[in-house]
Amino acid sequence: MSSRSETDGEPTAESETKTASEAFTGRGLNRVEDRRILTGEAEYVHDKAPDDALHVALVRSMHAHAVIESIDTDEAEAHPGCHLVLTAADLKDDYNPMPAGLLGFEEWSLADGKARYVGEPVAAVVADDRYVAEDAVDLVTVKYDTEEAVVDPREAREDEVLVHEDHGTNVGDHEELTFGDPDAAFENADRVVEGSYSWGRISGVPLETAGVVAEYDRDTDSFDIDCNIQLHTLVDDTVYETLGYDPDDVNLEVPPDVGGSFGTKIAIHRYCCLAAMASKELDRPVAFVEDRIENLQGGDMHSTEREYDVKLALDDDGTIRALDVWFVDDFGAWPRYPINQVLKPLSVLTNAYDVQDARYEYDLVLTNKTCQTAYRGFGVPAHLYALEMIVDEAASELGMDPDELRRRNLVSPDQMPYELASKNLYDSGDFPAALAHVRGKIEEERDGGLLDPDLVESKREEGKYRGVRPTVHIEPGVSGSDWTNRQRSERDELDDRDRDDVAELPEHLRAEVREDGTVRAFLATDSSGQGHQTLVTQLLADELDLLPSDIEVVYLDSVDAPTEYGTAASRMAVMLSGAAQGLGDELVGNLELLAAEIWDCESADATYRDGAVYRLDGGGGDGDDSLSLSELAGEDRDRDADERLTRASYDYEHPATRLDEFDEALARKFPVYPTAAFAANAPIVEVDAKTGEVEILKFYSLRDCGTQLNPTIVEGQAHGGLAQGIGAALQEEFAYDATGQPQAITLFDYRLPSIENVPEMELDHTETPSPFTATGAKGTGEGGMIDGPAAIACSVNAALEPLGVTADRIPFTPNRVRERIRERGTED
Amino acid sequence: MSTDDTSGSLDRPTEEITLTVNGESVAAEVEPRHKLSDFLRDARGLRGVRVGCEHGVCGACTVLLDGRSVKSCLTYAVQADGAEIETVEGLADDDGSLHPIQESFHEEHALQCGFCTSGFVMATKELLGENSDPDDDEIEAGLADNVCRCTGYQNIYDAVNRAAEKMDGRERDGEQLDETETDGEDR
Ligand code: FES
Ligand code: FES
């Protein structure tokens, strides 16, 4: 790695000091989460099993597609230390199938009659510890009758091998949506450019695997489940419905520390259910900690795998007239819960380009592979990749400079807020300026830098091809909720739903003043490293004129918390900051009321500032003109809990809920993402034509997520997102062989980017506040992963241009790049 | 549903080991197959030892064994017989003040979910023990056995550099640096 220059103005975490009237929000405050992590005191779910807990290991199918003829558990059950072996037959007596993403599928927590992917859980063994549980797993004998597997998503559409016979087809869902008049646009345009691109199966692969500790309480007939599921207040239905209990009897709790999720852990309910069932049977706490091989092979943690056929209609002057996107998405064996990732790209259908006619069509197919879950970007990264690839293809066919083609079609700032063909809105931003900024950066590199023409030429003589191609990308933020019901509803019912029926889920925050004068706030959501505690701490410190150290932020479990949306979809900065503002107002109002009551004065005469309420009418006499937080809490103590004025709660509404601008999207149940964070990227890459290896020499990016609430966290999210984008573009993939055997079941095969793979990133930031959100913040949790792969793909192809080669299968692994070079016969 | 309530006696051979963990001498009976990571986590309650892969790639389980970093998931507890083990729990001072490496990771925002962090901190300790002023290539080589899925590594470079400065400063001054003095100024 080259030496790392420091970037001016790069944020550095700050410690807690404050000068008068200076806000904490907007500063890179040090995180409150760190100390417990750095000292080894953090308690992740892997640490939660109590001493008397029993441990689960799973018998998993080694076949991609096989009828289960029999399961013999006798020997396992006889093994010392083994307490229980569960199979589907046991579950079916007492429980329900797991909710599926599509209507009409019945999936049990353990394979029922047939195994449909390698790694699918067939039996659960519960024993004294995991070592013994694994011993016992080896003693379970399953007789399989193997069948041919279907692995290729395009082939799967032909239905020669059916994953689900009952369903009659492998196409789980299909939809064709048109916006504007694409037929006419394609007819009338000067030319039509076509391309096919694929996006390999990747995923978040958080460093912490799934884990759960379940404990059944016989007295109350209820469950306490600690687990690291994501969105625990939204997807708790996947657990309580499977168990057949009321939501109030299944208390899902996520620890404050979760070792990464990136969307993936939304779908770990199977484990929660199995541990809960075993706990009920055995009357003991039961823990399950997924190991890494299970996680990679059959942990229901894979994500998007797509084959695209894309068309662009253009005029000879470079005006893009229309877009036509078709893709097949390989969902694996079962349509899992977060199925809407096929539709989320509609929220950025035409990326940063002004195009009003478009067709969007997909087949969602089922194959004998691990089920898909959500991953950072939720289907958008693949879409932006396919779109930018076809734009480059168009430039090449027009013989036009790709920069020029892009510039010509970008949405301009005076079109903001900009309504997309697919009815979502971009709130604000200056895309041409962002592009110009990164172009400026690479111009500097031409002048004696990485792109110096002499250097580029001499590298080329060594067979190393350098290139860069700047691109602009939108990160849709915040999400609405109604459209996510789409796939689980009958289509014709959708049309009958009214704009007014649409529930856009708010975010909940509550707080109480404690008798020691500190404030405790409660998050209704879970976190996995994004610093939500810090964010809420600094926001509330400002709202209440306190120091961050006066604020403690804790979490609510699924029963205490209202059913909210939680951490997903680049949402929390917007939603938590809006909620913190509202909560602060609410609490201040309450405290003033309380003080006025105590003083028996008009509430207008009691005013809150700097952690106390002051009396303005001068009626109190000496020493009675202010009440501190701890005094107020003391006075409030005797009131009924639900009437206390030192408590407040607030629900911040999704920003689109109250805006007419989103009427059409909401009424038509299209993805509603009211913030458009954006980035312009220019990764300088070097491709070794002999080995096919791609090295990113430097990654320039200009990023804008509206108001930055904590620039240090914003920067950290971008770094992490880009690293994942680099992994996705160049090295990560869950490949399968033709029989459905997974090829990446260790971290030796699923290659996460290490410090050696991540280049120097030079990020600059601008702030275009969102007019739609309370604080001007836009979401920023998925940036980098959303825009990195497309940007890298374009730069790699810019580098390969002199060879007349296009790489079109992400990840651009050395063998794939070599394959294309070899096909062109342009190698030395 | 089939249960076995008679959890029979367990014939699992064990061996006796004696080792030092964070300065404390420990004697224990362990199975030969018991991984050091599990031993430290379960028998010693050291949850700073994280397990991310159990096959030697992620480095979350990195601890120091006689001063050298090892992946405790690839080491059996019996192999640590007689050795001195250091984990992240042993770094902070008794008065609670953080080790300069811990401080620097905090100040540079070099952790997000934190699952990899103790492994990185221990690998950094070994690196800075051998080379008090590593350049970027040396940091890269020193930390190439650890994976962080969250931070993108940029801030980890900065944290290591900052820790190197602090540790160098402490050696020179023989005293702790005031956190606020260096805050944000060494970039
Ligand atoms: S847990 Fe030891 S290297 Fe991953
Ligand atoms: S901070 Fe999450 S893996 Fe490193």
Side-chain angles (χ1 to χ4, degrees):
Chain A
M1 172 159 316
S2 61
S3 122
R4 323 176 69 79
S5 67
E6 302 296 344
T7 315
D8 285 344
E10 189 181 328
T12 302
E14 290 177 31
S15 57
E16 181 185 306
T17 52
K18 180 176 173 177
T19 52
S21 79
E22 198 185 330
F24 289 109
T25 308
R27 293 170 61 192
L29 207 70
N30 279 331
R31 294 199 325 165
V32 300
E33 290 86 350
D34 290 357
R35 190 185 166 90
R36 62 176 186 260
I37 293 172
L38 282 160
T39 50
E41 282 154 29
E43 206 178 22
Y44 298 83
V45 75
H46 290 187
D47 311 312
K48 284 274 187 189
D51 286 343
D52 62 337
L54 298 170
H55 294 260
V56 178
L58 297 171
V59 177
R60 291 176 181 269
S61 169
M62 70 277 262
H63 302 296
H65 199 183
V67 172
I68 299 169
E69 292 192 325
S70 64
I71 307 176
D72 181 349
T73 61
D74 290 350
E75 218 185 317
E77 280 159 355
H79 187 66
C82 176
H83 293 254
L84 174 70
V85 181
L86 290 173
T87 64
D90 302 318
L91 314 186
K92 291 178 74 176
D93 291 342
D94 296 317
Y95 301 105
N96 299 321
M98 303 191 285
L102 285 172
L103 302 174
F105 287 87
E106 192 169 272
E107 182 185 11
W108 291 87
S109 304
L110 295 167
D112 176 29
K114 195 172 169 189
R116 293 184 171 83
Y117 60 97
V118 174
E120 181 168 11
V122 173
V125 174
V126 189
D128 286 340
D129 63 40
R130 175 75 185 217
Y131 287 80
V132 188
E134 288 187 17
D135 291 342
V137 159
D138 291 342
L139 301 174
V140 175
T141 311
V142 185
K143 270 187 72 187
Y144 295 99
D145 185 12
T146 58
E147 298 190 350
E148 200 185 325
V150 54
V151 178
D152 180 88
R154 286 190 198 248
E155 260 170 46
R157 298 165 64 238
E158 284 150 29
D159 291 333
E160 274 166 23
V161 173
L162 288 176
V163 180
H164 297 272
E165 289 88 348
D166 295 354
H167 195 69
T169 169
N170 293 322
V171 179
D173 190 25
H174 166 265
E175 193 153 11
E176 180 183 348
L177 297 158
T178 51
F179 305 100
D181 190 351
D183 288 337
F186 271 93
E187 191 102 329
N188 299 330
D190 292 340
R191 65 173 75 215
V192 174
V193 178
E194 300 183 27
S196 296
Y197 312 105
S198 47
W199 175 277
R201 194 169 254 253
I202 51 155
S203 196
V205 189
L207 215 52
E208 175 200 58
T209 57
V212 54
V213 182
E215 191 160 5
Y216 174 70
D217 184 335
R218 195 158 298 284
D219 295 340
T220 55
D221 191 22
S222 66
F223 295 94
D224 273 315
I225 302 177
D226 286 316
C227 60
N228 52 11
I229 202 164
Q230 183 175 341
L231 291 174
H232 72 294
T233 64
L234 184 77
V235 303
D236 52 349
D237 60 346
T238 54
V239 180
Y240 64 71
E241 283 182 15
T242 306
L243 294 174
Y245 276 70
D246 281 345
D248 281 358
D249 295 328
V250 179
N251 185 337
L252 276 194
E253 195 160 354
V254 176
D257 296 296
V258 172
S261 180
F262 317 112
T264 61
K265 284 178 182 159
I266 189 176
I268 63 168
H269 43 278
R270 180 203 305 275
Y271 299 144
C272 301
C273 297
L274 287 172
M277 293 164 185
S279 171
K280 183 171 173 189
E281 179 69 14
L282 295 166
D283 236 337
R284 293 266 295 270
V286 171
F288 173 75
V289 173
E290 181 187 52
D291 77 23
R292 182 56 65 185
I293 292 172
E294 298 182 277
N295 169 269
L296 295 173
Q297 173 192 261
D300 301 338
M301 281 255 212
H302 295 183
S303 197
T304 311
E305 173 181 355
R306 289 189 184 167
E307 300 284 330
Y308 278 95
D309 292 337
V310 191
K311 282 192 269 188
L312 212 53
L314 295 110
D315 286 341
D316 287 333
D317 69 354
T319 306
I320 302 175
R321 300 282 297 272
L323 169 70
D324 184 333
V325 178
W326 177 90
F327 65 93
V328 55
D329 198 335
D330 181 344
F331 260 56
W334 293 92
R336 189 63 80 220
Y337 189 77
I339 204 154
N340 271 67
Q341 54 193 304
V342 292
L343 285 179
K344 180 173 175 181
L346 289 173
S347 66
V348 288
L349 177 61
T350 48
N351 192 24
Y353 307 114
D354 181 15
V355 182
Q356 285 296 329
D357 299 297
R359 174 181 294 108
Y360 188 86
E361 185 182 3
Y362 65 84
D363 280 339
L364 185 163
V365 303
L366 301 164
T367 61
N368 293 114
K369 296 180 189 167
T370 292
C371 311
Q372 270 197 30
T373 183
Y375 176 34
R376 207 170 191 168
F378 206 35
V380 170
H383 177 79
L384 294 186
Y385 154 70
L387 185 51
E388 293 304 332
M389 290 288 286
I390 194 71
V391 169
D392 274 355
E393 181 65 39
S396 143
E397 287 198 23
L398 284 170
M400 191 174 202
D401 176 5
D403 279 335
E404 178 55 30
L405 177 57
R406 288 196 161 84
R407 259 199 309 250
R408 187 160 297 200
N409 290 287
L410 287 182
V411 174
S412 72
D414 57 23
Q415 289 174 280
M416 295 292 174
Y418 174 79
E419 189 183 71
L420 283 93
S422 48
K423 306 302 164 202
N424 192 36
L425 235 60
Y426 294 157
D427 47 358
S428 59
D430 188 340
F431 308 152
L435 186 65
H437 178 88
V438 294
R439 285 185 48 75
K441 290 286 182 187
I442 61 177
E443 281 317 313
E444 287 168 25
E445 290 284 1
R446 289 195 210 284
D447 192 13
L450 291 169
L451 294 170
D452 182 274
D454 292 340
L455 181 62
V456 170
E457 188 46 46
S458 74
K459 285 281 172 191
R460 201 167 286 181
E461 278 158 22
E462 294 169 28
K464 295 187 170 168
Y465 290 77
R466 284 191 181 186
V468 61
R469 181 158 294 153
T471 43
V472 182
H473 317 262
I474 314 299
E475 175 186 358
V478 189
S479 179
S481 64
D482 191 72
W483 69 277
T484 63
N485 275 325
R486 213 183 154 88
Q487 258 92 345
R488 276 172 147 196
S489 312
E490 299 290 351
R491 286 288 150 75
D492 29 357
E493 276 172 26
L494 280 171
D495 297 330
D496 300 336
R497 265 196 280 172
D498 204 67
R499 159 78 168 96
D500 299 331
D501 302 335
V502 170
E504 292 299 311
L505 293 170
E507 191 63 38
H508 178 84
L509 207 54
R510 68 177 79 153
E512 67 187 23
V513 179
R514 308 170 79 205
E515 287 186 41
D516 63 0
T518 63
V519 172
R520 181 185 273 172
F522 300 85
L523 284 165
T525 184
D526 39 79
S527 306
S528 47
Q530 303 96 330
H532 296 154
Q533 283 173 302
T534 304
L535 197 61
V536 170
T537 301
Q538 74 189 108
L539 290 157
L540 278 184
D542 284 339
E543 292 302 323
L544 301 173
D545 289 330
L546 297 172
L547 288 174
S549 53
D550 297 325
I551 312 238
E552 186 195 3
V553 181
V554 298
Y555 293 83
L556 298 172
D557 63 40
S558 67
V559 172
D560 282 341
T563 287
E564 299 300 345
Y565 201 89
T567 307
S570 301
R571 180 180 143 100
M572 297 321 288
V574 171
M575 298 306 284
L576 286 178
S577 65
Q581 268 193 0
L583 177 66
D585 282 353
E586 197 89 13
L587 193 57
V588 163
N590 277 1
L591 294 172
E592 290 173 345
L593 212 64
L594 174 61
E597 228 178 84
I598 296 165
W599 287 323
D600 195 19
C601 70
E602 296 290 313
S603 64
D605 289 329
T607 182
Y608 181 91
R609 96 181 108 82
D610 296 335
V613 182
Y614 292 86
R615 185 165 184 176
L616 302 178
D617 65 355
D622 275 357
D624 190 19
D625 58 357
S626 78
L627 284 164
S628 69
L629 284 182
S630 79
E631 287 166 329
L632 287 163
E635 294 280 351
D636 206 28
R637 183 175 34 200
D638 298 331
R639 210 187 292 259
D640 272 356
D642 51 355
E643 285 173 13
R644 288 205 192 133
L645 288 168
T646 50
R647 293 184 178 176
S649 74
Y650 190 82
D651 294 289
Y652 177 65
E653 298 259 296
H654 181 276
T657 315
R658 55 201 152 76
L659 294 171
D660 302 340
E661 286 95 325
F662 290 95
D663 275 0
E664 203 175 342
L666 288 166
R668 293 181 63 188
K669 320 301 178 231
F670 291 135
V672 178
Y673 284 76
T675 69
F678 58 98
N681 292 332
I684 300 176
V685 308
E686 182 174 281
V687 185
D688 186 330
K690 291 201 183 67
T691 63
E693 237 160 325
V694 177
E695 188 183 353
I696 302 172
L697 303 173
K698 191 161 192 176
F699 204 117
Y700 284 110
S701 187
L702 181 279
R703 315 195 66 86
D704 191 319
C705 63
T707 306
Q708 297 189 63
L709 303 168
N710 182 323
T712 304
I713 290 177
V714 167
E715 182 99 345
Q717 288 290 318
H719 285 160
L722 281 168
Q724 293 187 333
I726 290 163
L730 300 179
Q731 60 192 69
E732 297 176 29
E733 188 175 22
F734 291 107
Y736 281 80
D737 76 4
T739 68
Q741 284 296 328
Q743 305 294 292
I745 61 165
T746 72
L747 291 181
F748 291 102
D749 328 299
Y750 191 87
R751 296 190 51 236
L752 296 175
S754 80
I755 196 167
E756 292 174 309
N757 307 117
V758 177
E760 185 183 353
M761 305 182 204
E762 190 176 317
L763 313 186
D764 290 308
H765 299 269
T766 50
E767 288 191 336
T768 316
S770 172
F772 297 155
T773 66
T775 54
K778 300 180 179 183
T780 192
E782 298 160 303
M785 180 54 220
I786 278 193
D787 48 83
I792 294 165
C794 290
S795 284
V796 168
N797 282 312
L800 291 172
E801 206 165 45
L803 295 171
V805 167
T806 305
D808 53 9
R809 287 186 64 81
I810 266 187
F812 291 172
T813 52
N815 57 327
R816 295 228 172 107
V817 173
R818 277 288 299 159
E819 195 181 320
R820 288 287 177 266
I821 294 174
R822 218 178 289 124
E823 282 164 6
R824 287 298 289 207
T826 43
E827 58 187 309
D828 297 336
Chain B
M1 201 174 287
S2 35
T3 16
D4 172 16
D5 303 314
T6 55
S7 11
S9 74
L10 225 53
D11 187 19
R12 296 164 73 175
T14 57
E15 274 180 39
E16 163 116 25
I17 57 170
T18 315
L19 66 169
T20 310
V21 180
N22 294 330
E24 192 190 324
S25 165
V26 176
E29 288 273 325
V30 294
E31 277 188 90
R33 65 174 173 175
H34 207 143
K35 292 172 174 229
L36 180 59
S37 50
D38 288 338
F39 172 74
L40 294 170
R41 287 176 52 73
D42 301 339
R44 305 304 307 157
L46 296 171
R47 46 184 200 238
V49 180
R50 315 278 2 148
V51 172
C53 72
E54 289 185 289
H55 48 247
V57 181
C58 76
C61 65
T62 303
V63 301
L64 300 186
L65 187 150
D66 292 334
R68 305 288 307 185
S69 68
V70 295
K71 291 183 166 158
S72 59
C73 74
L74 292 186
T75 311
Y76 291 107
V78 289
Q79 292 176 284
D81 190 19
E84 193 168 325
I85 303 291
E86 292 167 70
T87 73
V88 80
E89 283 88 349
L91 287 186
D93 274 355
D94 291 342
D95 69 358
S97 54
L98 296 180
H99 186 279
I101 298 174
Q102 293 168 310
E103 267 177 18
S104 303
F105 270 68
H106 174 55
E107 288 157 10
E108 293 293 349
H109 187 39
L111 61 151
Q112 288 181 25
C113 80
F115 205 78
C116 69
T117 306
S118 21
F120 269 96
V121 166
M122 297 316 286
T124 302
K125 183 157 192 275
E126 181 190 43
L127 170 68
L128 294 181
E130 288 171 352
N131 178 352
S132 62
D133 184 23
D135 65 21
D136 285 335
D137 289 338
E138 288 163 340
I139 294 175
E140 185 182 313
L143 301 182
D145 274 352
N146 293 66
V147 171
C148 174
R149 191 58 164 156
C150 301
T151 65
Y153 305 103
Q154 308 289 295
N155 292 347
I156 292 179
Y157 279 101
D158 293 343
V160 175
N161 282 323
R162 187 170 187 140
E165 277 174 41
K166 284 189 190 219
M167 287 165 73
D168 191 36
R170 270 176 213 203
E171 268 162 36
R172 271 201 316 271
D173 306 344
E175 61 177 41
Q176 301 253 328
L177 289 185
D178 178 2
E179 185 179 321
T180 52
E181 252 174 45
T182 57
D183 200 7
E185 285 170 13
D186 59 344
R187 297 171 64 92

